[in-house]
Amino acid sequence: MAAGQNDSSAPLQNQEDTNSAGSSRPRNGFLRLLEIGAASAKLGLTSFGGPVAHLGYFRDEYVVKRKWLDERGYADLVALCQFLPGPASSQVGIGLGIIRSGLLGGVIAWLGFTLPSALAMALFALALQGMPVAQDGWLHGLKLVAVAIVAQAVLGMGRSLASDRPRATLAVAAAAVALLAPSAVTQVALIAAAGLFGAWRFRRAAEAPPEPVRVPVGRTAGAISLALFAALLVALPLLRQTAPGMGLALADSFYRAGALVFGGGHVVLPMLEREVVPAGWVSPETFLAGYGAAQAVPGPLFTFAAYLGAAAAGGAGAALATAAVFLPGFLLVVGALPFWNALRTHARMQGALTGINAAVVGLLLAALYDPIWTSAVRSPADFAAAAVLFGLLVFWKLPPWAVVLAGASAGWGLSLGLV
């Protein structure tokens, strides 16, 4: 396909063909889908460490071992998903599935990567029901793990996304506003304002366009997907007001969170907290205990939604919340892929993304204080434990699951007066 022929909506043929990396596809489309399912499930069971680590696992599996895409094409896809709101690593997996075998391939890639951790988090929430979460020492330890994890994320994202004076100033300003006027509306307004400011302040000359990423999705299908994304974003809050019910409320809250979050899994924390805690669906203690536990399972951090949905409305709530929080990211990948080659070098679009990413650092910094710090650190011993856990993550480079175990043990020891 030439660079100018982006509207290639014809289905992939069930015959031997070759992708841009030169690798061959199986003749049988069903076998190709099985291949996608097996590869994504393997990653869903073994990908620990958060979104950045996931991208490394994806590269090893899909580019180095399976050669489904070349290095430049993979970098293109990562750049696209970093630009879009939603769970970036999951969107990369969805995009790879679409490139490999169309829309159904994207769905299977998402299911394989998401289901293991979503099931684990939902089962954990159901097991906690009836427990006195605030009094259990090991669960308090999970809240201290959340302090360390989010502090590490703020540090890492600040270094890459707010490393100079203008962007750091924007990040601090966003944090201040988010803390002084805490609401979901404030967060959305901050992201929009940062995008407009970035389009003016951080625009830069476009680089030479790289090789286009080939996808079996045309511009018509992409436009329909984007229209559906916007329609649901508008319609769900209206339906929630006119037809009250737990199902619509969950769908609206989690869809909006997935649609308006830039920066990946950690950044969804403040959006979800504003949706589920004030509504009384989960307590602050239950919320943070689940977030700490989410660090111990492989796969995307957005499956924290499965935990919250299960805590609020059982197994059906877990399924609905998981589908709702991932659906916007899926629609955006489908909608953006056909247009990406034209948009990616647009100077103002790049500037807007720069401003949004800096504001995201500020939102995460605000979340580090409230609700995480204010709920978890209640004594000098709590601070000492959180500092040790942070050191294990940042300086000793322990995997997150090991830090979760250490945090749970420390919380249990603190509750018994052993440490």
Side-chain angles (χ1 to χ4, degrees):
M1 181 189 300
Q5 296 172 322
N6 291 323
D7 196 8
S8 176
S9 56
L12 293 175
Q13 297 176 349
N14 290 330
Q15 61 183 15
E16 193 75 4
D17 56 7
T18 304
N19 66 7
S20 59
S23 65
S24 61
R25 303 179 188 266
R27 292 177 181 273
N28 189 294
F30 178 72
L31 293 178
R32 193 185 311 152
L33 293 174
L34 287 179
E35 180 187 28
I36 293 170
S40 59
K42 172 187 172 183
L43 290 167
L45 290 166
T46 59
S47 296
F48 291 89
V52 175
H54 296 164
L55 295 177
Y57 291 123
F58 285 176
R59 178 185 172 276
D60 289 341
E61 183 69 24
Y62 294 132
V63 178
V64 177
K65 294 180 183 178
R66 297 180 182 269
K67 302 188 185 301
W68 288 1
L69 205 62
D70 60 20
E71 293 280 2
R72 188 63 179 271
Y74 181 71
D76 292 347
L77 186 60
V78 171
L80 166 60
C81 296
Q82 295 288 354
F83 178 83
L84 299 173
S89 61
S90 295
Q91 288 170 304
V92 170
I94 291 167
L96 284 162
I98 292 173
I99 291 168
R100 185 67 175 167
S101 195
L103 294 178
L104 186 55
V107 172
I108 291 175
W110 171 73
L111 286 173
F113 186 56
T114 304
L115 278 182
S117 57
L119 289 173
M121 291 304 298
L123 290 174
F124 180 64
L126 295 175
L128 283 184
Q129 288 185 352
M131 278 191 181
V133 176
Q135 284 74 40
D136 281 344
W138 68 275
L139 287 172
H140 181 68
L142 294 183
K143 292 158 67 177
L144 296 175
V145 171
V147 174
I149 291 283
V150 176
Q152 181 198 32
V154 170
L155 181 64
M157 292 176 65
R159 285 173 174 170
S160 61
L161 302 177
S163 56
D164 54 34
R165 185 178 298 173
R167 289 184 294 168
T169 301
L170 181 56
V172 171
V177 173
L179 288 171
L180 293 173
S183 72
V185 174
T186 298
Q187 294 169 17
V188 174
L190 282 171
I191 289 172
L196 292 173
F197 177 77
W200 167 74
R201 176 63 177 79
F202 301 119
R203 65 186 185 276
R204 55 187 180 274
E207 300 175 355
E211 288 294 322
V213 175
R214 301 179 181 182
V215 291
V217 176
R219 290 191 171 186
T220 300
I224 292 172
S225 185
L226 293 176
L228 181 59
F229 164 82
L232 287 172
L233 193 59
V234 173
L236 284 174
L238 297 176
L239 291 172
R240 180 178 181 173
Q241 296 298 322
T242 57
M246 190 62 173
L248 275 175
L250 281 173
D252 172 43
S253 293
F254 284 91
Y255 185 87
R256 261 189 298 113
L260 301 175
V261 169
F262 287 82
H266 293 294
V267 186
V268 80
L269 175 73
M271 291 288 287
L272 289 178
E273 192 272 341
R274 302 295 181 212
E275 294 291 335
V276 303
V277 174
W281 294 343
V282 301
S283 67
E285 292 79 15
T286 301
F287 182 90
L288 288 178
Y291 188 76
Q295 315 306 317
V297 297
L301 288 174
F302 265 50
T303 56
F304 182 42
Y307 169 88
L308 296 174
L320 179 58
T322 303
V325 81
F326 280 99
L327 179 58
F330 190 96
L331 293 174
L332 286 171
V333 170
V334 175
L337 278 173
F339 303 97
W340 178 240
N341 295 317
L343 290 175
R344 63 187 311 175
T345 56
H346 193 283
R348 291 193 182 275
M349 293 294 291
Q350 292 181 358
L353 178 62
T354 299
I356 289 170
N357 283 335
V360 160
V361 175
L363 291 176
L364 192 57
L365 177 61
L368 175 60
Y369 175 74
D370 183 17
I372 295 175
W373 186 280
T374 56
S375 298
V377 180
R378 302 179 302 209
S379 69
D382 287 341
F383 176 79
V388 170
L389 294 172
F390 178 79
L392 293 177
L393 275 172
V394 175
F395 305 116
W396 286 88
K397 308 296 183 184
L398 263 64
W401 63 264
V403 176
V404 168
L405 292 178
S409 300
W412 177 75
L414 286 170
S415 70
L416 297 178
L418 300 178
V419 292

